[in-house]
Amino acid sequence: MKILKTHLFCTFLIGLLSFPICCAADVTIAVIAPKAGEYAKAGTELFNGAKLAVQEINDDGGLNGEKLDILTIDDRCDDRLAVSTAEMLTLLSSKKIGLVVGPYCSNRFNEVADKYEKAKIFQIVPTTVTYNAGSTEKKGQILLLGTKSQISKDFFQYYNRNFAGLKVGFLYDDNAEDGYAEVAKTLFDEFRRYGKSDLLKFHILGDSPAKRGDLAETVIKDNMDIVFVLGKDKETAEIIENIKNADKNRIIFTGKNKLSPQFLQNLGKKANSIYLLDMPRLKDSLAFTETLVNLRLLGIEPEGMETYSYVAVKLWGDLVKGVKSFAYDKLSAAANTGGLKEKWSEFLMHSGSAKASKYVIEVYQNGEFKQVY
C-alpha cells in the first residue's frame, strides 16, 4: 500500500515538471521553484536565469563535451511537495541529474538537503525567502544567499546613520522555520554593541488578527518611532496596515518580498515612509560586470532572481570544468578550495563566506521606490 501511494504521488509530481523541448542532452539541471502563487514571479526569474546559463554553456560546446538540459519543477512552496520532489529526483532513472538549483522556499530545508546529500546530487541554493537555509552544512551544497544576520546588520547601519536615538520595535514571527528569531538575536547584538539596547524592544506577532490588532496599538502607545516587521507575508501586511491606519507617519521597515505593489498602492499616501529591504543586487556587482556586459550584448538584462540562478549554474560549470568530472565527491572537494572562494566570494553570501553582500534598502514614496542604501 505504501509503495502504491508513493507511486501515485510520484505520478502526480511528474505533472509538475516541465521538460525542455530540444534534442536529448547528457546531463540535466533541475530547478525547483514555485510556478504559481505569491512567489511565482521569483520562480519565473529563477527558471529563466538557469535556462540562460545552460544555453550559454551549450552554445559554447557544453561541459566536458556533454550537453545540458533543464528540468523545471513546481514545488508550490509546499512542505509535502518539497520532500517528495527531492525523493523523486533521487529515484529518477530517465535523467542524469547533475545539479539541483533550489529550492527557492525553505520548506523542511534540512530534510530535503539530507536527501540530496545521501543521493550524491550536488545542490546550489540561489536564494530563499527565509533565513534558516543551511543551518547544517552539507558536503555537496553551496549557498549563494542564506544569511540570517546580514539583514539585521544592514538595518542597523542605516538606522544608526539616519535615525540614531529613535526607538525601534521589532515585530517578528518566532517560528523556527522562518529563522526570524536569529534576525532578532543579531539585531539585539548590534544595538548592544553600540550601547543602544534600551532603544530596542521585541514583540512576537500574534497568531490571530485580534492579537495583531492589539500589537499595533501597543507599538503606537509605546511610542515606537520605527517598527521593523518580519513575519509571514499576510501577517506582515496586516499589521503594517493596522499601524499605518493608526498613524500614517510611523516609519516602517520590512522585507521587500513581504508587500505586493498592489498592497502599497491600496494604502495610498499611508504607504509613504515604508522602507523595504531587498536582496543584494548582483547586477550591480563589480565581479559580475563582464558577464553582465556579455548578456547585454545579447539583448538580455538580468532582473531579480535571474542573476542568482544564472550564477548558480555558471559556478557549478566552473567546478565541473575544474575537476573535469560530474562526480559528486570531486565537485564537493573542489567546492571547498580557495580557487572557488577567490573567484566567487562575492556570491557566496552565507555565514561561511569571507564577506556577505549588503542588502538594498528602498523607501516607498508617492508611488515610487527610491534606493537609499
Side-chain angles (χ1 to χ4, degrees), residues 170-351:
F170 182 53
L171 284 55
Y172 68 101
D173 188 337
D174 64 346
N175 185 321
E177 271 298 305
D178 294 327
Y180 298 135
E182 182 81 11
V183 178
K185 180 183 180 301
T186 307
L187 193 60
F188 176 75
D189 290 343
E190 290 295 302
F191 273 77
R192 182 179 58 181
R193 188 154 64 99
Y194 286 86
K196 299 185 178 184
S197 55
D198 59 322
L199 296 172
L200 179 65
K201 191 169 184 178
F202 296 99
H203 294 279
I204 304 299
L205 289 174
D207 55 5
S208 71
K211 288 183 180 178
R212 289 191 288 276
D214 292 341
L215 185 53
E217 291 181 10
T218 298
V219 297
I220 297 292
K221 188 185 301 181
D222 289 348
N223 294 316
M224 294 290 115
D225 304 294
I226 297 172
V227 184
F228 187 5
V229 188
L230 284 179
K232 292 181 175 59
D233 294 5
K234 185 178 179 180
E235 295 170 353
T236 299
E238 181 184 307
I239 200 159
I240 288 174
E241 185 173 17
N242 289 340
I243 293 170
K244 281 292 190 176
N245 283 338
D247 179 3
K248 67 179 182 180
N249 296 317
R250 194 72 49 162
I251 299 169
I252 304 286
F253 281 80
T254 189
K256 189 170 184 179
N257 65 324
K258 299 294 173 188
L259 305 179
S260 69
Q262 187 61 50
F263 172 84
L264 293 168
Q265 289 173 17
N266 290 343
L267 272 184
K269 293 290 186 181
K270 293 176 184 176
N272 289 340
S273 299
I274 292 181
Y275 289 80
L276 304 162
L277 290 97
D278 199 8
M279 289 168 297
R281 292 172 182 169
L282 301 186
K283 65 184 231 176
D284 297 329
S285 162
L286 291 176
F288 196 63
T289 301
E290 183 179 350
T291 300
L292 186 58
V293 169
N294 291 336
L295 293 178
R296 284 173 174 162
L297 289 174
L298 296 172
I300 299 163
E301 182 71 35
E303 296 290 342
M305 301 291 97
E306 281 190 20
T307 314
Y308 288 89
S309 56
Y310 175 89
V311 167
V313 174
K314 295 290 282 185
L315 187 158
W316 172 77
D318 267 12
L319 285 177
V320 170
K321 287 187 285 186
V323 299
K324 297 181 175 58
S325 172
F326 293 95
Y328 175 87
D329 290 330
K330 290 183 178 180
L331 292 174
S332 299
N336 294 312
T337 64
L340 174 71
K341 291 181 179 178
E342 181 180 341
K343 179 174 181 179
W344 297 99
S345 63
E346 189 162 352
F347 305 113
L348 304 176
M349 290 177 283
H350 55 293
S351 58

Side-chain angles (χ1 to χ4, degrees), residues 346-365:
E346 189 162 352
F347 305 113
L348 304 176
M349 290 177 283
H350 55 293
S351 58
S353 66
K355 64 176 180 176
S357 293
K358 294 182 179 297
Y359 272 73
V360 171
I361 300 178
E362 297 177 339
V363 63
Y364 188 80
Q365 203 76 26

Side-chain angles (χ1 to χ4, degrees), residues 24-97:
D26 302 296
V27 181
T28 296
I29 294 173
V31 186
I32 304 170
K35 295 183 179 180
E38 61 182 318
Y39 301 128
K41 182 175 183 294
T44 298
E45 291 169 352
L46 286 169
F47 295 136
N48 288 343
K51 289 174 183 175
L52 181 60
V54 166
Q55 179 183 335
E56 188 175 302
I57 290 171
N58 284 340
D59 288 347
D60 198 35
L63 282 177
N64 297 344
E66 299 194 45
K67 294 286 185 174
L68 307 177
D69 69 2
I70 287 278
L71 176 64
T72 62
I73 305 175
D74 180 7
D75 69 353
R76 300 183 184 177
C77 285
D78 179 272
D79 281 358
R80 196 164 68 108
L81 283 175
V83 175
S84 296
T85 295
E87 291 174 344
M88 181 201 64
L89 287 175
T90 64
L91 298 172
L92 192 62
S93 58
S94 62
K95 294 278 183 180
K96 178 182 174 183
I97 306 296

